[in-house]
């Protein structure tokens, strides 16, 4: 078993532990009514998108998500929340440094022995969800679960769905597809973006991700036999039929969207295996992007 397989299989346990710790970390996390920006790079950026959608949808305050390198310093926020598994990513550390003394910052990380520990004002360490893999799985979803629980939006059914995602077979024909499109609505647009990234990183697949209603506005034109279109969350009326009419394979996400992401992680590993690739050694990638002067 690869490191990434072992780590993705441990997610239900990690989610339970994170949800149990949410109250402990309450003081370090955004309060209702605060104007918040959530930042990250790669997978962490897409998790930021998901959390921002959840927080605004819960009525807890205006919440934006940015890639750390694209943060708008001219804007004013009550708090900036940085997601960084490694705690060493250059763009995140530079952002926290520029905000010190100006805006309260919180970092959610997996490694307590990294520079982010002194760069942020408040810290949440999820060391039990750290990973050996370059390709992120459990840290990202565990950080999202912590924040989901902090918002009062996590339930035991999410963990139950994760177990289902790990124990049931993937849909037939899926591994043989040559192109994958992931769709989301609201907070699950971030999950769709992450699903696409996971397939690219682990299996070198051609993938796309869109807000579901945007799929009709051009992207559906490339859908055909050999294309899989996977909906994370509730699908717009009629879209499944439209995809079916193209000859493409429609995958209806029946589990909690975060558990559906676990199914996508499994698909990425399965496609990698079918193509003779090692998902623990993704091409041109490292565990953390550290830029030297």
């Amino acid at each position: 078993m690869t490191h990434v397989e072992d780590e993705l299989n441990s997610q239900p346990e990690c989610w339970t532990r994170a949800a149990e710790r949410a109250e402990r970390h309450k003081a370090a996390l955004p309060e209702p009514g605060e104007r918040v920006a959530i930042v990250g790079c790669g997978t962490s950026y897409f998790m930021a998108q998901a959390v921002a959608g959840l927080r605004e949808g819960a009525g807890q305050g205006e919440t934006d998500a940015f890639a750390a390198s694209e943060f708008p310093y001219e804007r004013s926020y009550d708090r900036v929340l940085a997601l960084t598994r490694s705690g060493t990513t250059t763009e995140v550390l530079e952002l926290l440094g520029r905000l010190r003394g100006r805006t309260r910052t919180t970092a959610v990380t997996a490694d307590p022995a990294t520079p982010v520990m002194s760069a942020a004002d408040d810290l949440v360490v999820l060391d039990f969800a750290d990973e050996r893999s370059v390709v992120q799985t459990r840290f990202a979803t565990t950080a999202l679960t912590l924040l989901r629980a902090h918002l009062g939006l996590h339930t035991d059914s999410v963990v139950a769905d994760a177990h289902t995602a790990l124990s049931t077979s993937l849909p037939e024909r899926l591994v043989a597809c040559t192109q994958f499109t992931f769709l989301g609505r609201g907070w699950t647009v971030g999950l769709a973006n992450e699903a696409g990234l996971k397939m690219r990183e682990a299996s070198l697949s051609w993938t796309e991700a869109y807000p579901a209603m945007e799929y009709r506005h051009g992207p559906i034109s490339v859908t055909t036999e050999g294309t899989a279109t996977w909906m994370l969350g509730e699908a717009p009326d009629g879209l499944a039929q439209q995809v079916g009419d193209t000859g493409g394979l429609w995958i209806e996400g029946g589990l909690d969207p975060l558990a559906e992401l676990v199914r996508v992680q499994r698909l990425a590993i399965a496609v990698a295996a079918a193509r003779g690739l090692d998902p623990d050694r993704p091409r041109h990638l490292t565990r953390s992007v550290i830029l030297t002067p």
Side-chain angles (χ1 to χ4, degrees):
M1 182 176 292
T2 62
H3 296 317
V4 68
E5 285 178 282
D6 183 56
E7 289 158 359
L8 75 85
N9 284 329
S10 70
Q11 287 175 106
E13 178 187 357
C14 288
W15 296 2
T16 298
R17 294 179 67 178
E20 290 171 347
R21 295 187 180 197
E23 182 64 27
R24 181 192 311 178
H25 295 299
K26 181 178 180 180
L29 298 174
E31 299 177 4
E34 286 186 333
R35 188 167 189 252
V36 174
I38 310 175
V39 301
C41 299
T43 288
S44 292
Y45 170 44
F46 297 141
M47 294 298 101
Q49 291 178 333
V51 175
L54 282 170
R55 188 171 185 270
E56 281 213 3
Q60 293 212 16
E62 183 176 344
T63 314
D64 296 322
F66 300 103
S69 59
E70 299 297 322
F71 183 78
Y73 290 95
E74 69 279 3
R75 294 191 188 179
S76 176
Y77 291 97
D78 298 310
R79 186 192 306 260
V80 172
L81 175 64
L83 306 180
T84 170
R85 174 182 66 171
S86 69
T88 60
T89 303
T90 298
E91 298 102 301
V92 172
L93 295 176
E94 288 182 351
L95 181 150
L96 294 173
R98 290 183 64 176
L99 293 179
R100 180 171 290 281
R102 168 183 158 186
T103 303
R104 187 174 180 182
T105 59
T106 297
V108 180
T109 188
D111 190 342
T114 56
V116 78
M117 298 297 290
S118 58
D121 298 317
D122 296 301
L123 296 160
V124 176
V125 178
L126 303 175
D127 52 353
F128 59 89
D130 202 357
E131 297 163 326
R132 296 180 63 180
S133 300
V134 172
V135 175
Q136 280 201 56
T137 55
R138 72 181 180 193
F139 174 75
T141 61
T142 299
L144 193 152
T145 297
L146 172 82
L147 294 162
R148 203 175 178 187
H150 175 67
L151 295 170
L153 301 174
H154 174 80
T155 65
D156 291 342
S157 66
V158 179
V159 177
D161 277 1
H163 283 293
T164 300
L166 290 169
S167 61
T168 56
S169 299
L170 294 170
E172 293 184 13
R173 298 170 44 204
L174 194 53
V175 173
C177 287
T178 57
Q179 192 266 344
F180 302 88
T181 300
F182 300 96
L183 306 178
R185 304 184 78 177
W187 74 281
T188 70
V189 172
L191 298 187
N193 287 331
E194 167 59 9
L197 178 65
K198 211 52 46 198
M199 292 294 298
R200 287 190 291 275
E201 290 177 329
S203 66
L204 304 183
S205 295
W206 173 22
T207 65
E208 299 176 330
Y210 303 97
M213 291 296 287
E214 286 295 303
Y215 194 51
R216 296 181 173 101
H217 294 270
I220 197 172
S221 64
V222 300
T223 304
T224 185
E225 292 185 10
T227 301
T229 302
W230 193 322
M231 184 71 214
L232 284 81
E234 185 177 353
D237 290 342
L239 187 56
Q241 181 62 50
Q242 284 181 276
V243 170
D245 290 343
T246 70
L249 176 63
W250 172 262
I251 305 298
E252 187 80 38
L255 302 174
D256 180 89
L258 193 57
E260 284 294 318
L261 181 59
V262 174
R263 295 178 76 207
V264 176
Q265 293 169 350
R266 289 183 58 212
L267 173 63
I269 303 307
V271 173
R275 296 178 179 177
L277 301 171
D278 182 354
D280 281 341
R281 293 176 175 82
R283 191 171 66 177
H284 309 315
L285 297 179
T286 58
R287 188 173 183 276
S288 174
V289 176
I290 302 173
L291 305 177
T292 57

